[in-house]
Amino acid sequence: MVCLELNGAPLWIIAILGIALVTGRVIHAKGINQPPPHFSNRVIGMKVTITTLIMLVVFNLAWLLLQLWK
């Protein structure tokens, strides 16, 4: 997220991705406290976290290319 901010992306994109990242981590943490056969919240939290990280990479590359073409 720091790279995206340093590249000059709008604050609302950074805020949405930050909220999604924190949400995924909280869901994952709550899923760890469940008994072993029911890890569904943990898996959902991992998926949200990984998806957010992938989106951060895509947005960073897209924003950087957009700035280079201007």
Side-chain angles (χ1 to χ4, degrees), residues 9-23:
L11 183 61
W12 63 272
I13 292 175
I14 299 167
I16 289 172
L17 291 171
I19 290 169
L21 184 64
V22 170
T23 302

Side-chain angles (χ1 to χ4, degrees), residues 27-55:
I27 294 170
H28 181 263
K30 288 189 180 273
I32 289 176
N33 291 329
Q34 292 179 346
H38 304 290
F39 281 135
S40 62
N41 282 343
R42 185 176 181 200
V43 173
I44 291 170
M46 288 188 286
K47 287 179 181 179
V48 171
T49 300
I50 295 297
T51 302
T52 304
L53 291 174
I54 291 169
M55 289 173 59

